[in-house]
Amino acid sequence: MAHVNPHFRQLPGSYLFSEIARRTAAYQEANPQAALIRMGIGDVTQPLAPAVVEAMHAAVDDLAAAESFHGYGPEQGYGFLREAIAQHDFAARNIAIGADEIFISDGAKSDCGNIGDIFSLDCKVAVCDPVYPVYVDSNAMAGRAGDWDPAAECWTNIYYMPTTAENGFVPALPDQPVDLVYLCSPNNPTGTVLGREALERWVRWANKHDAVILFDAAYERFVVEEGVPRSIYEIDGAETCAIEFRSFSKTAGFTGARCGYTVVPKALVRDGQSLHGLWNRRQCTKFNGASYVIQRGAAAVYTAEGEAQVEATLDIYRANAATIRAGLEAAGFAVYGGVNSPYIWCKTPEGMGSWEFFDLLLNRLSIVTTPGAGFGPAGEGYIRLTAFNSPEATAEAMERIKTHFA
Ligand SMILES: *Cc1c(COP(=O)(O)O)cnc(C)c1O
């Protein structure tokens, strides 16, 4: 008898996006003439940079000839990409991360979900609330989360750190023993960032308690404000307590192409073992490397041409985010994020739940958003809007909101 992993049994269904789709479809059917604007999109919409496309085409040609053919590549990624990352994302910003501390992958979701493989099942996990669901569900699948409490919509053995307007979207240090802490900055879903002081506090705490910070920097390229850390390794001491996840998805349009990377510093040791060594062992066993073609495309992001093109695309999203912020503020809402991030986190009107506000925007203004409650209990009272629509649709949505609420 093959028993299934019992921890899957308690996983709540991925209710959020299916429920949004259901309500949106019902509205559309009842109002076929309504011009729907989707502000809930968590996927980029602009095409890949021409320099990236050109590099991918050339890489396909490499595979087409015996002399330049590439079969299995290194599990850790090709040297050309690891070197480009080490140079441009770290050395150029005076951060001492070597190319051999960088592991290329097919994206940050896989790495965030897989990193638990190298930690003991009895590690206590802390997450921000609201949260990117992958951190929680992957630990639940492994058996680290305890039991699902449907009333509280929480796992009994996960330590949730409320991250709301009340604490400036900076989670307080744990008041109980915690071993693994997931931090995400710029944050999905709140769009806010952790400043240098906050990260310094976390790094000091983690080193003191031999904890490990799992730092998700999937949105780092959206950072525009001076002084906002783009990597946890900008903080002294992070190399002995933090693993960082990066992705080309949101920053260079790779959601469909698939490429990301994880940094595991060689100085990071727990139980006398190198976490770099453990992650290398894990990847060599369960992963056969990211595609050669895609890695060639990712390397082109670091050419002068590629960098300029990627920035031009990011500027479109940044301008949309500014439009959303200004529109919501003009309509009288309290808004957060959207400066160093494509996400805007908006407080619902006094006393209104996030699903109720979602319904109001859908049914009265034909605008689709994401209710904050879907990202955790502390997301109640907020909705998330994204900058990934066209400038025209974004402006039109804000006109509707200003006209209705102002
Ligand atoms: C989109 C996203 C990722 C990962 O994306 P990949 O496409 O798997 O690289 C990781 N973390 C957060 C917070 C995200 O929003």
Side-chain angles (χ1 to χ4, degrees), residues 107-109 132 135 184 188 216 218-219 247 249-250 258:
K109 188 188 202 175
Y132 179 59
Y135 316 145
C184 178
N188 178 10
D216 187 342
Y219 295 90
S247 171
S249 283
K250 317 309 181 350
R258 312 301 309 141

mmCIF file of all heavy atoms in Angstrom, residues 107-109 132 135 184 188 216 218-219 247 249-250 258, ligand 1:
data_model
loop_
_atom_site.group_PDB
_atom_site.id
_atom_site.type_symbol
_atom_site.label_atom_id
_atom_site.label_comp_id
_atom_site.label_asym_id
_atom_site.label_seq_id
_atom_site.Cartn_x
_atom_site.Cartn_y
_atom_site.Cartn_z
ATOM 1 N N GLY A 107 14.254 29.444 -11.711
ATOM 2 C CA GLY A 107 13.412 30.479 -11.116
ATOM 3 C C GLY A 107 13.444 30.445 -9.605
ATOM 4 O O GLY A 107 13.839 29.448 -8.990
ATOM 5 N N ALA A 108 13.021 31.544 -9.013
ATOM 6 C CA ALA A 108 13.109 31.683 -7.558
ATOM 7 C C ALA A 108 12.030 30.886 -6.827
ATOM 8 O O ALA A 108 12.196 30.524 -5.664
ATOM 9 C CB ALA A 108 13.018 33.158 -7.170
ATOM 10 N N LYS A 109 10.921 30.617 -7.514
ATOM 11 C CA LYS A 109 9.868 29.844 -6.836
ATOM 12 C C LYS A 109 10.384 28.456 -6.491
ATOM 13 O O LYS A 109 10.185 27.969 -5.377
ATOM 14 C CB LYS A 109 8.627 29.749 -7.724
ATOM 15 C CG LYS A 109 7.434 29.136 -7.021
ATOM 16 C CD LYS A 109 6.311 28.906 -8.031
ATOM 17 C CE LYS A 109 4.961 28.809 -7.354
ATOM 18 N NZ LYS A 109 3.876 28.702 -8.354
ATOM 19 N N TYR A 132 3.987 35.741 0.551
ATOM 20 C CA TYR A 132 4.035 34.970 -0.697
ATOM 21 C C TYR A 132 3.814 33.502 -0.293
ATOM 22 O O TYR A 132 4.598 32.957 0.488
ATOM 23 C CB TYR A 132 5.421 35.177 -1.314
ATOM 24 C CG TYR A 132 5.731 34.452 -2.608
ATOM 25 C CD1 TYR A 132 4.972 34.656 -3.756
ATOM 26 C CD2 TYR A 132 6.840 33.606 -2.694
ATOM 27 C CE1 TYR A 132 5.306 34.013 -4.940
ATOM 28 C CE2 TYR A 132 7.178 32.976 -3.881
ATOM 29 C CZ TYR A 132 6.400 33.180 -5.004
ATOM 30 O OH TYR A 132 6.735 32.552 -6.171
ATOM 31 N N TYR A 135 6.395 30.087 0.565
ATOM 32 C CA TYR A 135 7.201 29.825 1.771
ATOM 33 C C TYR A 135 6.422 28.945 2.743
ATOM 34 O O TYR A 135 6.964 28.026 3.348
ATOM 35 C CB TYR A 135 7.576 31.120 2.505
ATOM 36 C CG TYR A 135 8.043 32.283 1.666
ATOM 37 C CD1 TYR A 135 7.724 33.593 2.031
ATOM 38 C CD2 TYR A 135 8.816 32.097 0.526
ATOM 39 C CE1 TYR A 135 8.162 34.679 1.298
ATOM 40 C CE2 TYR A 135 9.244 33.178 -0.219
ATOM 41 C CZ TYR A 135 8.901 34.467 0.168
ATOM 42 O OH TYR A 135 9.324 35.546 -0.566
ATOM 43 N N CYS A 184 11.108 39.139 2.476
ATOM 44 C CA CYS A 184 10.968 39.461 1.057
ATOM 45 C C CYS A 184 10.963 40.973 0.908
ATOM 46 O O CYS A 184 10.084 41.642 1.452
ATOM 47 C CB CYS A 184 9.660 38.854 0.527
ATOM 48 S SG CYS A 184 9.311 39.228 -1.208
ATOM 49 N N ASN A 188 6.331 41.260 -1.959
ATOM 50 C CA ASN A 188 5.079 40.817 -2.574
ATOM 51 C C ASN A 188 4.289 40.214 -1.407
ATOM 52 O O ASN A 188 4.791 39.266 -0.791
ATOM 53 C CB ASN A 188 5.348 39.759 -3.643
ATOM 54 C CG ASN A 188 4.070 39.252 -4.271
ATOM 55 O OD1 ASN A 188 2.999 39.807 -4.061
ATOM 56 N ND2 ASN A 188 4.179 38.174 -5.046
ATOM 57 N N ASP A 216 14.250 36.833 -0.026
ATOM 58 C CA ASP A 216 13.716 36.813 -1.388
ATOM 59 C C ASP A 216 13.818 38.220 -1.985
ATOM 60 O O ASP A 216 13.104 39.135 -1.564
ATOM 61 C CB ASP A 216 12.255 36.332 -1.347
ATOM 62 C CG ASP A 216 11.671 36.120 -2.735
ATOM 63 O OD1 ASP A 216 12.229 36.632 -3.717
ATOM 64 O OD2 ASP A 216 10.628 35.429 -2.825
ATOM 65 N N ALA A 218 13.404 38.936 -5.293
ATOM 66 C CA ALA A 218 12.924 38.777 -6.674
ATOM 67 C C ALA A 218 12.616 40.113 -7.352
ATOM 68 O O ALA A 218 12.598 40.194 -8.574
ATOM 69 C CB ALA A 218 11.674 37.887 -6.692
ATOM 70 N N TYR A 219 12.385 41.154 -6.554
ATOM 71 C CA TYR A 219 12.001 42.455 -7.134
ATOM 72 C C TYR A 219 13.087 43.513 -7.004
ATOM 73 O O TYR A 219 12.812 44.701 -7.131
ATOM 74 C CB TYR A 219 10.695 42.938 -6.482
ATOM 75 C CG TYR A 219 9.530 42.032 -6.798
ATOM 76 C CD1 TYR A 219 9.217 40.946 -5.981
ATOM 77 C CD2 TYR A 219 8.765 42.225 -7.944
ATOM 78 C CE1 TYR A 219 8.168 40.087 -6.291
ATOM 79 C CE2 TYR A 219 7.727 41.381 -8.264
ATOM 80 C CZ TYR A 219 7.434 40.308 -7.430
ATOM 81 O OH TYR A 219 6.396 39.469 -7.756
ATOM 82 N N SER A 247 15.610 36.526 -9.154
ATOM 83 C CA SER A 247 14.878 36.011 -10.306
ATOM 84 C C SER A 247 14.959 36.987 -11.468
ATOM 85 O O SER A 247 14.979 38.203 -11.260
ATOM 86 C CB SER A 247 13.413 35.812 -9.913
ATOM 87 O OG SER A 247 12.643 35.510 -11.050
ATOM 88 N N SER A 249 12.548 36.914 -13.567
ATOM 89 C CA SER A 249 11.144 36.919 -13.986
ATOM 90 C C SER A 249 10.531 38.305 -14.049
ATOM 91 O O SER A 249 10.102 38.762 -15.108
ATOM 92 C CB SER A 249 10.311 36.055 -13.042
ATOM 93 O OG SER A 249 10.506 34.692 -13.343
ATOM 94 N N LYS A 250 10.441 38.958 -12.896
ATOM 95 C CA LYS A 250 9.757 40.246 -12.848
ATOM 96 C C LYS A 250 10.692 41.356 -13.303
ATOM 97 O O LYS A 250 10.275 42.373 -13.813
ATOM 98 C CB LYS A 250 9.258 40.549 -11.428
ATOM 99 C CG LYS A 250 8.604 39.398 -10.662
ATOM 100 C CD LYS A 250 7.510 38.698 -11.437
ATOM 101 C CE LYS A 250 6.820 37.552 -10.706
ATOM 102 N NZ LYS A 250 7.316 37.025 -9.476
ATOM 103 N N ARG A 258 11.978 31.503 -17.774
ATOM 104 C CA ARG A 258 12.408 30.796 -16.557
ATOM 105 C C ARG A 258 13.909 30.851 -16.276
ATOM 106 O O ARG A 258 14.696 30.078 -16.843
ATOM 107 C CB ARG A 258 11.986 29.297 -16.583
ATOM 108 C CG ARG A 258 10.547 28.980 -16.950
ATOM 109 C CD ARG A 258 9.541 29.626 -16.030
ATOM 110 N NE ARG A 258 9.828 29.368 -14.632
ATOM 111 C CZ ARG A 258 9.680 30.285 -13.661
ATOM 112 N NH1 ARG A 258 9.233 31.487 -13.931
ATOM 113 N NH2 ARG A 258 9.974 29.978 -12.418
HETATM 114 C C1 LIG B 1 7.277 35.993 -8.726
HETATM 115 C C2 LIG B 1 7.967 35.738 -7.430
HETATM 116 C C3 LIG B 1 9.005 34.811 -7.299
HETATM 117 C C4 LIG B 1 9.519 33.885 -8.314
HETATM 118 O O1 LIG B 1 9.434 33.860 -9.476
HETATM 119 P P1 LIG B 1 10.087 32.844 -10.509
HETATM 120 O O2 LIG B 1 9.328 33.168 -11.730
HETATM 121 O O3 LIG B 1 9.890 31.468 -10.036
HETATM 122 O O4 LIG B 1 11.534 33.208 -10.573
HETATM 123 C C5 LIG B 1 9.631 34.661 -6.089
HETATM 124 N N1 LIG B 1 9.263 35.371 -5.042
HETATM 125 C C6 LIG B 1 8.286 36.264 -5.112
HETATM 126 C C7 LIG B 1 7.934 37.025 -3.907
HETATM 127 C C8 LIG B 1 7.586 36.473 -6.300
HETATM 128 O O5 LIG B 1 6.576 37.339 -6.339
#
